[in-house]
Amino acid sequence: SLSYLEIFESEEKSPSEIYEINEAIDNFVDLECISLLEKQIFLEYLRGYSYKEISSKFKISKKKIDNVIRKIKVIIGNKK
């Protein structure tokens, strides 16, 4: 089984891998380490959307998108 970090870095993510990461993120949302908006941003990233597409969808700067993705990678990247 791949670590979350390996899944993040892979080009193609299977629906089961995205589901697994979603479940892990939910645990951190429950602990209030990650907001629901941050979770939504990260899931769009995992689905292959570009920073520009995510930025446009959520009306947030590309820098904020980058910060969210980095934050979540740090939080759950070492958790498996």
Side-chain angles (χ1 to χ4, degrees):
S1 172
L2 297 173
S3 72
Y4 294 133
L5 193 55
E6 289 168 323
I7 295 170
F8 298 148
E9 301 305 323
S10 70
E11 290 294 317
E12 296 290 322
K13 293 155 190 76
S14 71
S16 65
E17 289 171 331
I18 291 174
Y19 176 82
E20 186 178 342
I21 292 172
N22 184 42
E23 292 294 303
I25 292 171
D26 279 344
N27 292 333
F28 291 102
V29 170
D30 291 343
L31 294 173
E32 299 180 0
C33 298
I34 298 172
S35 73
L36 288 174
L37 176 61
E38 289 171 333
K39 174 189 170 183
Q40 292 172 330
I41 289 168
F42 195 72
L43 290 175
E44 292 296 300
Y45 166 75
L46 289 179
R47 292 182 180 113
Y49 291 96
S50 70
Y51 283 22
K52 183 178 181 180
E53 292 168 318
I54 299 168
S55 173
S56 181
K57 179 176 181 172
F58 292 102
K59 311 277 190 276
I60 297 172
S61 73
K62 288 186 280 186
K63 180 61 181 162
K64 173 70 175 172
I65 302 301
D66 184 59
N67 289 343
V68 167
I69 290 166
R70 289 175 187 272
K71 172 186 173 180
I72 294 176
K73 282 182 177 182
V74 167
I75 290 172
I76 69 173
N78 299 319
K79 295 294 181 193
K80 188 173 180 191

